[in-house]
Amino acid sequence: MYLPRLKDLREDKDMRQKEIAGVLGIDQRVYSTYETGRRDIPLRHLITLADFYGVTLDYLVGRKPPRKV
C-alpha cells in the first residue's frame, strides 16, 4: 500500500529516511520500500510513526484530514 503521507510527514520534519528508519529500528532500504509502496508497512511501524508524528492512524493511511492526537 502506497502511503504518500509518510514522505510528506518526514519532509515536514526535515528528516532523512535513515533517521526515520532508526526510529523504527530498521534499515533505511527497508524504510524506503515502505515509503514507495513496494512493501506493506507492518501495523507496529504504523503505530510507532503515528505516535512519532503526533497524528492518527487514520490520517497516516489517508482516511482523514490532518488532526493532531
Side-chain angles (χ1 to χ4, degrees), residues 2-13:
Y2 175 60
L3 302 173
R5 289 183 176 166
L6 285 180
K7 184 176 182 180
D8 294 341
L9 288 165
R10 176 178 59 79
E11 290 177 342
D12 287 348
K13 282 196 169 271

Side-chain angles (χ1 to χ4, degrees), residues 8-63:
D8 294 341
L9 288 165
R10 176 178 59 79
E11 290 177 342
D12 287 348
K13 282 196 169 271
D14 294 322
M15 295 182 77
R16 296 179 178 183
Q17 286 184 348
K18 185 174 183 172
E19 295 170 302
I20 300 301
V23 169
L24 298 174
I26 60 174
D27 188 87
Q28 178 273 328
R29 291 171 292 194
V30 173
Y31 178 77
S32 176
T33 64
Y34 295 162
E35 206 172 88
T36 59
R38 291 189 314 257
R39 180 184 289 184
D40 286 339
I41 184 168
L43 180 58
R44 69 182 184 279
H45 291 325
L46 286 173
I47 291 168
T48 299
L49 290 172
D51 290 345
F52 179 77
Y53 290 124
V55 297
T56 64
L57 283 174
D58 279 342
Y59 174 75
L60 193 60
V61 300
R63 288 182 44 140

